[in-house]
């Protein structure tokens, strides 16, 4: 494929998918170690009432109101999950189950009671995405990367998810030491003055923001897979947190690139006429890498032992 074809048709979907994968994998490492990996699945359920409320307030089905509504619902869910977990002294999985089923039911009830069910209102803006459609129409080749006029026509999902990735990376870098200590020894972290409750809340809110930002571009399939598969696979490759973070980023990038390429060309290589979903193939590749790590990873038999700091 020449640059005249690759840049407008494939470069931006690849970059968006890769940024989304890394943005979810970074906080996913800590969520996996804290046994909160299903927070991404919970968020995919709780955004519905936020989307409906955003429509009721604006009367329009557009990206930014839907994104803000979904983000608000996700943050509310995180607060409720943490509150129920700490006040009720129950495990995180049970708290998630209570919150996301209740909020999803509330979203369905809002749809039925406000007559929005007759409008073409669904959750595609925040959940399903369509990675293949995020093409750069103003690009003519590699020279467009230096053309200000062409850059102005970039799909808005790219700067949005890139900014989210920068924010997630900064959060991880700034709070690296407190995150590492509180993840492996919460009691000791509290002893030395780390506010573990507030830090844990900040972590899941960061994960929620990354998930909602990615939903609009790539859909929930990639988001849920990237929260779990790269960190879990990396966990089976090393016993050191720093190396685990690095491996998870490599696995996320590999899954995004190979999944996108195989979605477009894999069926053609097998003699089929049509491509398959890029999001589904990226998630499939991340699952395949996880399966390989589970079978051949050097630390697969010690996955129950905490990673060393």
């Amino acid at each position: 494929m020449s640059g005249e074809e690759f840049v407008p048709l494939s470069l931006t979907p690849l970059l968006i998918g890769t940024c989304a994968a890394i943005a979810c994998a970074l906080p996913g490492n800590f969520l996996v170690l804290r046994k909160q990996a299903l927070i991404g699945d919970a968020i995919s359920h709780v955004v519905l009432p936020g989307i409906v409320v955003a429509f009721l307030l604006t009367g329009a089905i557009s990206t930014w109101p839907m994104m803000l509504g979904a983000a608000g619902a996700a943050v509310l869910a995180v607060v409720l999950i943490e509150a129920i977990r700490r006040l009720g002294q129950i495990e995180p999985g049970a708290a998630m189950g209570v919150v996301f089923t209740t909020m999803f039911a509330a979203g369905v009830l809002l749809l039925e009671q406000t007559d929005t069910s007759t409008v073409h209102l669904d959750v595609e803006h925040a959940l399903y995405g369509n990675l293949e459609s995020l093409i750069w129409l103003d690009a003519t080749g590699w020279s467009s990367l230096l053309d200000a006029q062409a850059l102005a026509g970039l799909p808005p999902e790219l700067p949005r998810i890139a900014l989210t990735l920068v924010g997630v990376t900064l959060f991880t870098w700034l709070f690296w030491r407190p995150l590492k200590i509180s993840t492996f020894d919460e009691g000791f972290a509290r002893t030395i003055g780390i506010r573990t409750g507030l830090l844990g809340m900040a972590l899941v809110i960061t994960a929620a923001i990354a998930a909602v930002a990615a939903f609009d571009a790539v859909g929930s399939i990639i988001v849920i897979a990237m929260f779990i598969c790269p960190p879990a696979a990396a966990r089976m490759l090393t016993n050191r947190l720093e190396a685990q973070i690095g491996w998870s980023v490599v696995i996320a990038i590999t899954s995004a690139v190979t999944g996108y390429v195989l979605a477009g060309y894999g069926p053609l290589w097998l003699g089929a006429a049509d491509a398959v979903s890029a999001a589904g193939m990226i998630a499939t590749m991340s699952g395949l890498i996880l399966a390989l790590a589970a079978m051949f990873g050097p630390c697969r038999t010690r996955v129950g032992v905490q990673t060393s700091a």
Side-chain angles (χ1 to χ4, degrees), residues 194-215:
I194 295 175
R195 301 178 66 180
T196 57
L198 187 61
L199 184 62
M201 184 78 69
L203 173 63
V204 288
I205 288 176
T206 299
I209 293 172
V212 172
F215 283 158

Side-chain angles (χ1 to χ4, degrees), residues 46-189:
V46 305
V47 295
L48 181 57
I51 292 173
V52 177
V53 170
F55 173 76
L56 292 174
L57 292 176
T58 63
I61 301 177
S62 56
T63 298
W64 275 111
M66 297 298 176
M67 284 280 292
L68 292 175
V75 171
L76 175 62
V78 167
V79 173
L80 290 175
I81 289 170
E82 284 296 303
I84 292 174
R85 183 177 74 86
R86 292 183 179 277
L87 296 178
Q89 296 296 310
I90 62 176
E91 64 175 5
M96 289 179 197
V98 170
V99 172
F100 73 63
T101 53
T102 301
M103 292 189 67
F104 185 75
V108 174
L109 184 62
L110 275 174
L111 279 174
E112 295 300 326
Q113 296 299 317
T114 57
D115 294 327
T116 55
S117 58
T118 59
V119 182
H120 181 60
L121 175 63
D122 52 41
V123 292
E124 64 175 320
H125 297 85
L127 296 181
Y128 302 133
N130 188 3
L131 190 58
E132 298 88 344
S133 69
L134 302 178
I135 58 178
W136 186 9
L137 295 175
D138 293 341
T140 57
W142 293 108
S143 60
S144 298
L145 295 174
L146 302 176
D147 186 345
Q149 186 174 357
L151 289 172
L154 277 169
E157 290 82 0
L158 179 56
R160 195 155 53 225
I161 193 62
L163 184 61
T164 301
L165 175 57
V166 171
V168 171
T169 303
L170 283 176
F171 172 81
T172 305
W173 177 65
L174 289 173
F175 295 98
W176 174 259
R177 184 174 178 272
L179 279 171
K180 183 166 62 172
I181 295 173
S182 62
T183 295
F184 297 113
D185 195 335
E186 187 173 355
F188 175 70

